[in-house]
Amino acid sequence: MVGVISLIGMAVLLTASLSLALRGWEIKSPLHPLLELRMEKDKYGRENVILAHLGGDPLPEAFSLSGGAITWKNLEMRVNGIRVEVASGALYNGSGSTGGPVRFVRGDRLSLTLENLKAGDHISVIYRPAGQVLVEARI
């Protein structure tokens, strides 16, 4: 009887440890936000790229801003397949800084100036944990 109980206990422990190990390999599931990507002139006549969240799933820990510089987290913008680095001038809902990672939700807006964009360039926004292209546009 003791042997049977010991075997059942070992089976439960093995199942639990296998479950925890497999949970670490889990791939983040795709999200379904509704995003808009557009070009817009600011009050100084500069062309800005605007990323607006219109609804659907929120994007957790999308990015952070400090003094207008973007640090991409779970979200990433690329131009012609190359990750965009923004050192200054970016605004999140009108502010150049956030208090940490942004949960990008309905009504939020990210504005940034990209230099040297030309006709035919391809801009894409990617949710990195799932490798999912959320929105893309051609200039």
Side-chain angles (χ1 to χ4, degrees):
M1 185 67 153
V2 173
V4 171
I5 293 174
S6 295
L7 284 175
I8 291 173
M10 288 181 359
V12 168
L13 286 174
L14 179 63
T15 304
S17 61
L18 182 60
S19 172
L20 288 174
L22 290 177
R23 189 174 273 167
W25 292 345
E26 182 179 321
I27 296 175
K28 297 275 186 172
S29 62
L31 297 178
H32 302 287
L34 178 58
L35 302 178
E36 177 185 51
L37 189 60
R38 68 177 184 274
M39 299 292 290
E40 191 175 277
K41 285 191 189 269
D42 66 10
K43 62 184 176 183
Y44 304 108
R46 294 180 301 207
E47 288 285 344
N48 288 326
V49 174
I50 308 296
L51 177 65
H53 195 298
L54 303 177
D57 291 334
L59 298 168
E61 295 189 15
F63 55 85
S64 62
L65 257 110
S66 178
I70 297 176
T71 301
W72 299 112
K73 306 267 187 214
N74 286 336
L75 200 65
E76 181 176 280
M77 186 177 288
R78 295 181 184 175
V79 174
N80 299 327
I82 299 170
R83 182 179 172 161
V84 171
E85 301 295 334
V86 178
S88 65
L91 296 174
Y92 166 67
N93 294 337
S95 175
S97 294
T98 60
V102 169
R103 185 171 189 257
F104 203 57
V105 297
R106 182 181 183 168
D108 284 348
R109 175 182 156 126
L110 177 66
S111 170
L112 53 125
T113 302
L114 298 178
E115 302 294 328
N116 304 320
L117 283 179
K118 56 190 176 301
D121 282 348
H122 184 258
I123 301 174
S124 56
V125 177
I126 297 159
Y127 180 63
R128 291 175 49 192
Q132 175 187 5
V133 177
L134 300 174
V135 64
E136 51 190 347
R138 188 165 301 278
I139 305 289

CSV table of all heavy atoms in Angstrom, one decimal, residues 80-115:
chain,number,residue,atom,x,y,z
A,80,ASN,N,11.6,49.7,-43.8
A,80,ASN,CA,12.3,48.8,-44.7
A,80,ASN,C,13.0,47.6,-44.0
A,80,ASN,O,14.1,47.3,-44.4
A,80,ASN,CB,13.2,49.6,-45.6
A,80,ASN,CG,12.5,50.6,-46.5
A,80,ASN,OD1,11.4,50.4,-46.9
A,80,ASN,ND2,13.2,51.7,-46.7
A,81,GLY,N,12.4,47.1,-42.9
A,81,GLY,CA,12.9,46.0,-42.2
A,81,GLY,C,13.9,46.4,-41.1
A,81,GLY,O,14.4,45.5,-40.4
A,82,ILE,N,14.3,47.6,-41.0
A,82,ILE,CA,15.3,48.1,-40.1
A,82,ILE,C,14.6,48.7,-38.9
A,82,ILE,O,13.8,49.6,-39.1
A,82,ILE,CB,16.3,49.0,-40.7
A,82,ILE,CG1,17.1,48.3,-41.9
A,82,ILE,CG2,17.4,49.5,-39.7
A,82,ILE,CD1,17.9,49.2,-42.7
A,83,ARG,N,15.0,48.3,-37.7
A,83,ARG,CA,14.4,48.8,-36.5
A,83,ARG,C,14.6,50.4,-36.4
A,83,ARG,O,15.8,50.8,-36.5
A,83,ARG,CB,15.0,48.1,-35.3
A,83,ARG,CG,14.4,48.6,-33.9
A,83,ARG,CD,15.1,47.8,-32.8
A,83,ARG,NE,14.7,48.3,-31.5
A,83,ARG,CZ,14.8,47.7,-30.4
A,83,ARG,NH1,15.3,46.5,-30.4
A,83,ARG,NH2,14.4,48.2,-29.3
A,84,VAL,N,13.6,51.1,-36.1
A,84,VAL,CA,13.7,52.6,-35.9
A,84,VAL,C,14.2,52.9,-34.5
A,84,VAL,O,13.7,52.4,-33.5
A,84,VAL,CB,12.3,53.2,-36.1
A,84,VAL,CG1,12.3,54.6,-35.7
A,84,VAL,CG2,11.8,53.0,-37.5
A,85,GLU,N,15.2,53.7,-34.5
A,85,GLU,CA,15.8,54.3,-33.3
A,85,GLU,C,15.5,55.8,-33.2
A,85,GLU,O,15.8,56.5,-34.1
A,85,GLU,CB,17.3,54.1,-33.2
A,85,GLU,CG,17.8,52.6,-33.3
A,85,GLU,CD,17.4,51.8,-32.2
A,85,GLU,OE1,17.1,52.3,-31.1
A,85,GLU,OE2,17.2,50.6,-32.4
A,86,VAL,N,14.8,56.2,-32.2
A,86,VAL,CA,14.4,57.6,-32.0
A,86,VAL,C,15.0,58.1,-30.8
A,86,VAL,O,14.8,57.7,-29.7
A,86,VAL,CB,12.8,57.7,-31.9
A,86,VAL,CG1,12.4,59.1,-31.7
A,86,VAL,CG2,12.2,57.1,-33.2
A,87,ALA,N,15.9,59.1,-31.0
A,87,ALA,CA,16.7,59.7,-29.9
A,87,ALA,C,16.0,60.9,-29.2
A,87,ALA,O,16.4,61.3,-28.1
A,87,ALA,CB,18.1,60.0,-30.3
A,88,SER,N,15.1,61.5,-30.0
A,88,SER,CA,14.4,62.7,-29.4
A,88,SER,C,13.2,63.0,-30.3
A,88,SER,O,13.1,62.6,-31.4
A,88,SER,CB,15.4,63.9,-29.4
A,88,SER,OG,15.7,64.3,-30.7
A,89,GLY,N,12.3,63.8,-29.7
A,89,GLY,CA,11.2,64.4,-30.5
A,89,GLY,C,9.9,63.5,-30.4
A,89,GLY,O,8.9,64.0,-30.9
A,90,ALA,N,10.0,62.3,-29.9
A,90,ALA,CA,8.8,61.5,-29.9
A,90,ALA,C,7.8,61.9,-28.8
A,90,ALA,O,8.3,62.4,-27.7
A,90,ALA,CB,9.1,60.0,-29.6
A,91,LEU,N,6.5,61.8,-29.0
A,91,LEU,CA,5.5,62.2,-28.0
A,91,LEU,C,4.5,61.1,-27.9
A,91,LEU,O,4.1,60.5,-28.8
A,91,LEU,CB,4.8,63.4,-28.5
A,91,LEU,CG,5.6,64.7,-28.6
A,91,LEU,CD1,4.7,65.8,-29.2
A,91,LEU,CD2,6.1,65.1,-27.2
A,92,TYR,N,4.2,60.8,-26.6
A,92,TYR,CA,3.1,59.8,-26.3
A,92,TYR,C,2.0,60.6,-25.7
A,92,TYR,O,2.1,61.2,-24.6
A,92,TYR,CB,3.7,58.7,-25.3
A,92,TYR,CG,2.6,57.9,-24.7
A,92,TYR,CD1,1.8,57.0,-25.4
A,92,TYR,CD2,2.3,58.0,-23.3
A,92,TYR,CE1,0.9,56.3,-24.9
A,92,TYR,CE2,1.4,57.2,-22.7
A,92,TYR,CZ,0.6,56.3,-23.5
A,92,TYR,OH,-0.4,55.6,-22.9
A,93,ASN,N,0.9,60.7,-26.3
A,93,ASN,CA,-0.3,61.4,-25.9
A,93,ASN,C,0.1,62.9,-25.5
A,93,ASN,O,-0.3,63.4,-24.5
A,93,ASN,CB,-1.0,60.8,-24.7
A,93,ASN,CG,-1.6,59.4,-25.1
A,93,ASN,OD1,-1.9,59.2,-26.3
A,93,ASN,ND2,-1.8,58.6,-24.1
A,94,GLY,N,1.0,63.4,-26.3
A,94,GLY,CA,1.4,64.8,-26.1
A,94,GLY,C,2.6,65.0,-25.1
A,94,GLY,O,3.1,66.1,-24.9
A,95,SER,N,3.1,64.0,-24.5
A,95,SER,CA,4.2,64.1,-23.5
A,95,SER,C,5.4,63.4,-24.0
A,95,SER,O,5.4,62.4,-24.7
A,95,SER,CB,3.7,63.4,-22.2
A,95,SER,OG,4.8,63.4,-21.3
A,96,GLY,N,6.6,64.0,-23.7
A,96,GLY,CA,7.9,63.4,-24.2
A,96,GLY,C,8.4,62.4,-23.2
A,96,GLY,O,9.5,61.8,-23.5
A,97,SER,N,7.8,62.1,-22.1
A,97,SER,CA,8.3,61.1,-21.2
A,97,SER,C,7.2,60.4,-20.5
A,97,SER,O,6.0,60.9,-20.4
A,97,SER,CB,9.1,61.8,-20.0
A,97,SER,OG,10.3,62.4,-20.5
A,98,THR,N,7.4,59.1,-20.2
A,98,THR,CA,6.5,58.3,-19.5
A,98,THR,C,7.1,57.8,-18.2
A,98,THR,O,8.4,57.8,-18.1
A,98,THR,CB,6.1,57.0,-20.3
A,98,THR,OG1,7.3,56.3,-20.6
A,98,THR,CG2,5.5,57.4,-21.6
A,99,GLY,N,6.4,57.4,-17.3
A,99,GLY,CA,6.9,57.0,-16.0
A,99,GLY,C,7.3,55.5,-16.0
A,99,GLY,O,7.5,54.9,-14.9
A,100,GLY,N,7.6,54.9,-17.1
A,100,GLY,CA,7.9,53.5,-17.2
A,100,GLY,C,7.3,53.0,-18.5
A,100,GLY,O,6.9,53.7,-19.4
A,101,PRO,N,7.3,51.7,-18.6
A,101,PRO,CA,6.7,51.0,-19.8
A,101,PRO,C,5.2,51.4,-20.0
A,101,PRO,O,4.5,51.5,-19.0
A,101,PRO,CB,6.8,49.5,-19.5
A,101,PRO,CG,7.9,49.4,-18.5
A,101,PRO,CD,7.8,50.7,-17.7
A,102,VAL,N,4.8,51.7,-21.2
A,102,VAL,CA,3.5,52.1,-21.6
A,102,VAL,C,2.6,50.9,-21.9
A,102,VAL,O,3.1,50.0,-22.7
A,102,VAL,CB,3.5,53.1,-22.8
A,102,VAL,CG1,2.2,53.3,-23.4
A,102,VAL,CG2,4.2,54.4,-22.4
A,103,ARG,N,1.4,50.8,-21.4
A,103,ARG,CA,0.4,49.9,-21.8
A,103,ARG,C,-0.4,50.6,-22.9
A,103,ARG,O,-1.2,51.5,-22.6
A,103,ARG,CB,-0.5,49.5,-20.6
A,103,ARG,CG,-1.5,48.4,-21.0
A,103,ARG,CD,-2.1,47.9,-19.7
A,103,ARG,NE,-2.9,46.7,-20.0
A,103,ARG,CZ,-4.3,46.8,-20.1
A,103,ARG,NH1,-4.9,47.9,-19.9
A,103,ARG,NH2,-4.9,45.7,-20.4
A,104,PHE,N,-0.1,50.4,-24.2
A,104,PHE,CA,-0.7,51.1,-25.3
A,104,PHE,C,-2.1,50.6,-25.5
A,104,PHE,O,-2.4,49.5,-25.8
A,104,PHE,CB,0.1,50.8,-26.5
A,104,PHE,CG,0.0,51.9,-27.6
A,104,PHE,CD1,0.3,53.2,-27.4
A,104,PHE,CD2,-0.3,51.5,-28.9
A,104,PHE,CE1,0.2,54.1,-28.4
A,104,PHE,CE2,-0.4,52.4,-29.9
A,104,PHE,CZ,-0.1,53.8,-29.6
A,105,VAL,N,-3.1,51.5,-25.2
A,105,VAL,CA,-4.5,51.1,-25.2
A,105,VAL,C,-5.3,52.1,-26.1
A,105,VAL,O,-4.8,53.1,-26.6
A,105,VAL,CB,-5.1,51.2,-23.7
A,105,VAL,CG1,-4.4,50.2,-22.9
A,105,VAL,CG2,-5.0,52.6,-23.1
A,106,ARG,N,-6.6,51.7,-26.2
A,106,ARG,CA,-7.5,52.5,-27.1
A,106,ARG,C,-7.4,54.0,-26.7
A,106,ARG,O,-7.5,54.4,-25.5
A,106,ARG,CB,-8.9,52.1,-26.9
A,106,ARG,CG,-9.9,52.8,-27.8
A,106,ARG,CD,-11.3,52.3,-27.5
A,106,ARG,NE,-12.1,53.0,-28.5
A,106,ARG,CZ,-13.4,52.7,-28.7
A,106,ARG,NH1,-13.9,51.7,-28.1
A,106,ARG,NH2,-14.1,53.4,-29.5
A,107,GLY,N,-7.3,54.9,-27.7
A,107,GLY,CA,-7.2,56.3,-27.5
A,107,GLY,C,-5.7,56.8,-27.4
A,107,GLY,O,-5.5,58.0,-27.5
A,108,ASP,N,-4.8,55.9,-27.2
A,108,ASP,CA,-3.4,56.3,-27.1
A,108,ASP,C,-2.8,56.7,-28.5
A,108,ASP,O,-3.3,56.2,-29.5
A,108,ASP,CB,-2.5,55.3,-26.5
A,108,ASP,CG,-2.7,55.2,-25.0
A,108,ASP,OD1,-3.3,56.1,-24.4
A,108,ASP,OD2,-2.2,54.2,-24.4
A,109,ARG,N,-1.8,57.6,-28.5
A,109,ARG,CA,-1.2,58.0,-29.7
A,109,ARG,C,0.3,58.2,-29.5
A,109,ARG,O,0.7,58.9,-28.6
A,109,ARG,CB,-1.9,59.3,-30.1
A,109,ARG,CG,-1.4,60.0,-31.3
A,109,ARG,CD,-2.2,61.3,-31.4
A,109,ARG,NE,-1.4,62.3,-32.2
A,109,ARG,CZ,-1.8,62.9,-33.3
A,109,ARG,NH1,-3.0,62.7,-33.7
A,109,ARG,NH2,-1.1,63.8,-33.9
A,110,LEU,N,1.1,57.7,-30.4
A,110,LEU,CA,2.6,57.9,-30.4
A,110,LEU,C,2.9,58.6,-31.7
A,110,LEU,O,2.5,58.2,-32.8
A,110,LEU,CB,3.3,56.5,-30.4
A,110,LEU,CG,4.8,56.6,-30.5
A,110,LEU,CD1,5.4,57.2,-29.3
A,110,LEU,CD2,5.4,55.2,-30.7
A,111,SER,N,3.6,59.7,-31.5
A,111,SER,CA,4.0,60.6,-32.6
A,111,SER,C,5.5,60.7,-32.7
A,111,SER,O,6.2,60.9,-31.7
A,111,SER,CB,3.4,62.0,-32.5
A,111,SER,OG,4.0,62.9,-33.4
A,112,LEU,N,6.1,60.4,-33.9
A,112,LEU,CA,7.6,60.5,-34.0
A,112,LEU,C,8.0,61.0,-35.4
A,112,LEU,O,7.2,60.8,-36.3
A,112,LEU,CB,8.3,59.2,-33.7
A,112,LEU,CG,7.8,58.0,-34.4
A,112,LEU,CD1,8.9,57.3,-35.1
A,112,LEU,CD2,7.1,57.0,-33.4
A,113,THR,N,9.1,61.7,-35.5
A,113,THR,CA,9.6,62.2,-36.7
A,113,THR,C,10.7,61.2,-37.2
A,113,THR,O,11.6,60.9,-36.5
A,113,THR,CB,10.2,63.6,-36.6
A,113,THR,OG1,9.3,64.4,-36.0
A,113,THR,CG2,10.7,64.1,-37.9
A,114,LEU,N,10.5,60.7,-38.5
A,114,LEU,CA,11.5,59.9,-39.1
A,114,LEU,C,12.2,60.6,-40.2
A,114,LEU,O,11.5,61.1,-41.1
A,114,LEU,CB,10.8,58.6,-39.6
A,114,LEU,CG,10.2,57.7,-38.6
A,114,LEU,CD1,9.5,56.5,-39.2
A,114,LEU,CD2,11.2,57.2,-37.5
A,115,GLU,N,13.5,60.7,-40.1
A,115,GLU,CA,14.2,61.4,-41.2
A,115,GLU,C,14.4,60.6,-42.4
A,115,GLU,O,14.4,59.3,-42.3
A,115,GLU,CB,15.6,61.8,-40.6
A,115,GLU,CG,15.6,62.7,-39.4
A,115,GLU,CD,15.0,64.1,-39.6
A,115,GLU,OE1,15.1,64.6,-40.7
A,115,GLU,OE2,14.3,64.6,-38.7
